[in-house]
Amino acid sequence: MQCTPGFQAPRKAKPTDLQGRHEIDQDTRILMMALRWKSRRHFLFFAIAVSTIALTALSRSPKGLFCQPIFQPWRSHLFASLTLKDGFPLSTLETILHSEPSAFRAADWSYYYTSQSHFPGEGKAQGLWTQKKWEDFGIPETEIVKYNAPISTPIFQRLALLDTSVTLSPSVIYEAKLMEELPFNDPSEIRTPAFHGQSSSGNVTAQFVYANFGRDQDYDDLEQNHVEVKGKIAIVKYGIVYRGTKMSTAAERGLVGILIYTDPQQDGNITEGHGFKEYPDGPARPETCIERGSIGTIRNASEGNPGVPGQSIPSLPVSYSDIVPLLKALDGHGPKAADMRSDWHGGGLYYRGVEYYAGPSASHIVLNLNNQMSFPTKEVHQIFGIIRGSIEDEVIILGNHRDSWGAGAGDSISGAAALMEVVRSFAMAYRKGWRPRRTIVFVSWEGAETGQVGSQPWIESLLPWLQKAAVAYLNVVVAAGGRHFQVKATPLLQEVIHRATKAVSSPEGGTVFDHWGGEMIAAGGGDAIPFLETACVSTSDLSFGALYWPYHSNFDTFTWMNTSGDPGWKYHVTTAKIWSLITAYLSESPVLQIKAADYAVAMQKYVERIKEFIPSSAYFDLGPIEDAIAEFHNSSIILDGYASSLRSTETDETIRHVNQKYIKLERQFCYEGAHLVYDFSAFYSDPVEFPRLSHSLESEDLEGAREWMEIIQAKIRDAANLVKL
């Protein structure tokens, strides 16, 4: 951990700054920004935006900084009590958190972050800038923590369809472009090569097969149809399971390489095949769009190249434009997807002449997949801001990772821009005299896209403190990528999330809750994953997304966000408000706004889902788990009722006793360094709960399933005993 030297008090704002602009009129501010950027496009954007986006003034209160380690909770003087300021009710704080977030500023933060490459290992300059902005806003303490980590770096990638029937040398039938073609009016110059983080190096030439989604059951189907996959290269679609699982499954099945592409099937009816034009002329996915991403896990990210023989094979992400010639080369070879089980149906490239044959390709038609990677050690920089509360050991942490694939206007810069507005809003309240009941920590992470190599070591280094003090970790990756609101969270946070979404207006009218409905899915997403998996801290991940948006592609630019993703930047602001209010409700309520019974009710639903995995030919009784959940539910109702009866006039010891039960509850589901209820979960996925039990049942390992059932039952009973009064 590195301590940042002391800084000078923030300089007085200049008229051209985005803060302190009350000295000049609104039209002059717009013109000055346009001249500073020297871009007619941005001038036009902000000239239009001024009619719909209100500017707010930001006063300043310079604070001197001191150099001391923030995160050493065993040193009690660092968590000295701060008296809550009298006369500053929650309603006043809510008013500030509602009124401060600005679409104009969110757009400016997004423009800054997306204007230069910020892949993991490239984030120092933007980290320092972020820290300085937080200090300028008035956050009383900030710190930079840096770690060294091996960062996946592409050296050379090639994908070519070859005809080896020529005796002297193979002829090239098709050479994949492996790069997007951005619209002519998008000035973004950031071009990230097509590669998978943590992918193995390798140069393989082999026949190939089409393997649907690349699941175990898909390879079983191929085997039943007498399709030999060993020694071949697999072409699989994104979706249903994590890309890293697709790679490891292919390796286990004896394939030598894997290509993963996004089929228009994933976009529903919003495709060119259904008459929609491609972006930028319409809402459909561009044919050259490539979804990059990591194929490793958090646990092996620190090891760099995971290329262990038998466990990892070379992989590449590919656009559907580049995959069409390969799939057409399989025509007439092997079984046809339309003649196989129903979950092989539905491919979206029929309008391009693709018939989805499984292959393998003809013996003389092969693919050359050349993926050369390096794993240099680079620094990743985490930026922390802290507002200390009057309670020493109850902490709310909220964060976003600012590293991205490409410009990353949606993932993750929409979240980074929203975080800036959250931090600025709380800083405004702080300058007006508000002091939190519980300590609030803001974090801008780096290194998430290559396996959370920033958040994971920080969590591990402070694990005892986090497990003692962390009330929740509140994450946002994609604040704005569409209109569909999604919440991935543990049930303990349901009440505050419902309350916040009912308090924030939707850009579509009504409240966010009205459009959402309140249904949460399995916890996880971004840097919430190590908090949940390693520390068993209650987490949430909020997002506004869409069926199609240019996730992890070079199309995810400021221009796309401004014209298609979030015109008017309304969803950035909406996310910032929800995020802020959840934080405030958790921070300011004397008794934590948590309901243990919500967890029990959710578990009852999870068990019903598990029943779908029980083999039809076997008998497996889930009664012991259901009995344990019933006991947990009964004890939780009593605790929740007692907690609701408490008032702020109760003694600190009484309230603390209840709050500590709520804080410790999530920890009851830790088992051997992982969470028993939830598994790894990307923000776009919805995996099954109680994963180890579910997977055992799905694979018909009944003995293993019984062992996991006993473990789960015991941990739920531990939770029931914890919440008993």
Side-chain angles (χ1 to χ4, degrees):
M1 186 177 297
Q2 176 173 314
C3 185
T4 306
F7 283 78
Q8 300 293 323
R11 57 178 170 77
K12 184 177 180 180
K14 296 180 180 179
T16 53
D17 285 342
L18 285 177
Q19 291 80 40
R21 297 215 197 166
H22 51 282
E23 307 96 327
I24 55 178
D25 65 82
Q26 180 168 292
D27 292 337
T28 304
R29 290 196 287 269
I30 298 295
L31 179 59
M32 285 182 171
M33 174 171 282
L35 292 174
R36 184 188 71 181
W37 287 348
K38 299 180 181 179
S39 167
R40 183 171 62 87
R41 180 176 63 83
H42 290 107
F43 170 73
L44 291 174
F45 160 61
F46 279 99
I48 294 170
V50 69
S51 65
T52 58
I53 300 176
L55 291 170
T56 55
L58 178 62
S59 61
R60 287 176 173 258
S61 176
K63 300 286 185 183
L65 297 178
F66 52 92
C67 184
Q68 69 172 29
I70 292 176
F71 298 107
Q72 292 187 10
W74 48 89
R75 294 173 59 186
S76 59
H77 72 277
L78 295 178
F79 283 79
S81 295
L82 296 173
T83 302
L84 290 173
K85 189 173 180 65
D86 294 335
F88 207 105
L90 178 62
S91 59
T92 304
L93 177 61
E94 286 180 301
T95 298
I96 294 172
L97 300 181
H98 268 290
S99 62
E100 276 301 311
S102 158
F104 185 93
R105 286 188 171 90
D108 194 44
W109 308 138
S110 177
Y111 180 81
Y112 168 76
Y113 282 121
T114 59
S115 64
Q116 54 191 290
S117 180
H118 46 275
F119 193 70
E122 301 176 343
K124 182 177 181 180
Q126 290 195 344
L128 291 170
W129 179 89
T130 300
Q131 181 188 33
K132 185 61 166 63
K133 286 296 180 184
W134 291 4
E135 292 166 353
D136 290 350
F137 294 161
I139 296 299
E141 298 176 53
T142 68
E143 184 180 6
I144 294 181
V145 177
K146 65 180 182 180
Y147 298 104
N148 292 322
I151 303 296
S152 302
T153 303
I155 299 174
F156 178 77
Q157 281 71 38
R158 186 205 189 204
L159 176 63
L161 181 64
L162 306 177
D163 183 346
T164 62
S165 62
V166 180
T167 55
L168 294 179
S169 63
S171 61
V172 177
I173 301 173
Y174 180 77
E175 185 89 27
K177 299 179 182 67
L178 298 179
M179 184 55 69
E180 291 90 343
E181 297 175 2
L182 265 63
F184 72 92
N185 62 343
D186 190 331
S188 176
E189 297 179 355
I190 300 174
R191 298 291 187 276
T192 301
F195 73 100
H196 282 135
Q198 298 171 260
S199 177
S200 295
S201 294
N203 184 359
V204 295
T205 300
Q207 291 172 267
F208 55 100
V209 296
Y210 166 67
N212 201 21
F213 290 101
R215 303 164 295 179
D216 267 316
Q217 65 196 71
D218 293 321
Y219 291 110
D220 288 341
D221 292 340
L222 291 176
E223 182 179 338
Q224 292 171 10
N225 282 272
H226 310 292
V227 176
E228 177 60 49
V229 301
K230 190 173 183 179
K232 308 297 191 298
I233 294 171
I235 298 173
V236 305
K237 296 178 290 191
Y238 272 113
I240 301 183
V241 297
Y242 171 55
R243 68 180 78 85
T245 303
K246 296 175 189 286
M247 182 279 296
S248 59
T249 300
E252 291 166 2
R253 293 284 183 151
L255 288 106
V256 296
I258 186 170
L259 307 173
I260 312 179
Y261 79 101
T262 302
D263 193 285
Q265 173 184 358
Q266 302 304 105
D267 300 332
N269 292 327
I270 311 300
T271 68
E272 191 177 27
H274 286 88
F276 291 92
K277 292 184 177 181
E278 295 181 1
Y279 171 79
D281 300 317
R285 180 187 303 273
E287 67 174 1
T288 62
C289 188
I290 301 171
E291 179 186 320
R292 296 152 181 83
S294 176
I295 61 166
T297 66
I298 295 172
R299 295 180 180 89
N300 69 14
S302 61
E303 300 172 4
N305 188 344
V308 179
Q311 299 179 16
S312 180
I313 55 178
S315 66
L316 282 178
V318 186
S319 70
Y320 76 75
S321 174
D322 276 338
I323 219 71
V324 165
L326 314 187
L327 292 178
K328 284 186 174 182
L330 292 176
D331 281 0
H333 296 276
K336 197 174 184 178
D339 299 329
M340 299 176 70
R341 289 190 306 109
S342 60
D343 57 3
W344 280 74
H345 304 172
L349 290 172
Y350 286 103
Y351 79 101
R352 298 288 293 266
V354 173
E355 295 294 335
Y356 295 96
Y357 281 87
S361 59
S363 60
H364 64 286
I365 302 298
V366 298
L367 286 174
N368 173 235
L369 191 171
N370 191 348
N371 182 55
Q372 302 302 320
M373 301 290 297
S374 65
F375 298 86
T377 297
K378 298 181 180 180
E379 288 183 347
V380 291
H381 296 77
Q382 331 312 313
I383 312 305
F384 293 89
I386 186 168
I387 304 178
R388 299 183 186 277
S390 59
I391 300 177
E392 296 181 357
D393 55 357
E394 296 178 10
V395 181
I396 318 298
I397 307 170
L398 56 158
N400 157 271
H401 71 87
R402 66 184 184 280
D403 57 291
S404 301
W405 298 87
D411 179 0
S412 62
I413 297 310
S414 64
L419 180 61
M420 291 292 285
E421 286 303 276
V422 170
V423 173
R424 193 177 63 80
S425 298
F426 276 104
M428 173 66 77
Y430 185 84
R431 291 201 309 276
K432 290 185 176 182
W434 162 78
R435 297 295 182 268
R437 182 182 301 273
R438 296 178 179 88
T439 294
I440 299 175
V441 177
F442 309 100
V443 196
S444 175
W445 305 106
E446 184 185 2
E449 296 296 5
T450 52
Q452 284 76 36
V453 295
S455 57
Q456 178 71 19
W458 184 79
I459 291 168
E460 290 175 349
S461 69
L462 293 170
L463 190 57
W465 172 66
L466 283 169
Q467 291 189 322
K468 177 184 178 183
V471 174
Y473 173 70
L474 312 175
N475 192 66
V476 171
V477 176
V478 182
R483 299 179 179 183
H484 175 68
F485 186 62
Q486 175 180 278
V487 178
K488 301 176 69 65
T490 53
L492 293 181
L493 299 179
Q494 177 174 289
E495 180 171 330
V496 289
I497 293 171
H498 282 184
R499 180 180 175 185
T501 52
K502 289 176 181 178
V504 175
S505 297
S506 167
E508 306 305 309
T511 68
V512 172
F513 185 89
D514 293 336
H515 292 269
W516 168 42
E519 186 68 22
M520 303 193 312
I521 59 179
D527 294 287
I529 297 169
F531 274 94
L532 186 66
E533 282 283 292
T534 302
C536 288
V537 170
S538 297
T539 69
S540 68
D541 183 77
L542 316 175
S543 67
F544 277 102
L547 193 59
Y548 158 68
W549 64 283
Y551 171 69
H552 284 190
S553 81
N554 285 326
F555 284 101
D556 191 8
T557 66
F558 182 91
T559 297
W560 175 83
M561 182 60 71
N562 183 41
T563 60
S564 299
D566 187 17
W569 305 82
K570 298 176 182 178
Y571 287 92
H572 285 74
V573 171
T574 301
T575 299
K577 291 178 180 180
I578 296 170
W579 205 358
S580 296
L581 288 177
I582 294 171
T583 303
Y585 295 154
L586 285 173
S587 169
E588 300 308 292
S589 174
V591 180
L592 285 169
Q593 289 197 21
I594 285 173
K595 291 287 185 290
D598 288 341
Y599 220 136
V601 171
M603 283 183 173
Q604 291 167 344
K605 296 178 182 178
Y606 302 161
V607 171
E608 290 303 313
R609 291 181 62 178
I610 290 176
K611 291 178 180 178
E612 300 173 6
F613 292 91
I614 299 176
S616 58
S617 59
Y619 171 76
F620 193 87
D621 183 16
L622 290 169
I625 287 184
E626 292 176 311
D627 291 343
I629 293 173
E631 179 185 346
F632 175 38
H633 186 238
N634 292 335
S635 299
S636 296
I637 290 175
I638 296 172
L639 173 66
D640 294 340
Y642 176 67
S644 297
S645 71
L646 297 178
R647 299 291 183 267
S648 59
T649 54
E650 298 287 344
T651 64
D652 290 342
E653 292 77 9
T654 302
I655 292 175
R656 176 178 174 79
H657 177 68
V658 171
N659 286 343
Q660 284 298 305
K661 286 181 178 291
Y662 285 135
I663 291 173
K664 293 175 181 177
L665 181 52
E666 197 78 61
R667 318 295 190 260
Q668 303 308 303
F669 306 117
C670 279
Y671 182 77
E672 294 185 350
H675 200 289
L676 273 177
V677 183
Y678 302 107
D679 201 357
F680 173 89
S681 172
F683 85 92
Y684 55 83
S685 64
D686 183 13
V688 70
E689 298 83 5
F690 295 121
R692 295 154 188 84
L693 174 58
S694 301
H695 296 161
S696 295
L697 289 171
E698 187 176 23
S699 62
E700 300 188 15
D701 177 11
L702 298 185
E703 182 178 350
R706 291 187 186 93
E707 291 177 0
W708 281 115
M709 186 173 68
E710 290 178 4
I711 294 169
I712 293 169
Q713 175 191 0
K715 298 300 285 185
I716 295 174
R717 293 197 185 280
D718 287 345
N721 290 329
L722 170 70
V723 299
K724 288 178 180 177
L725 291 173

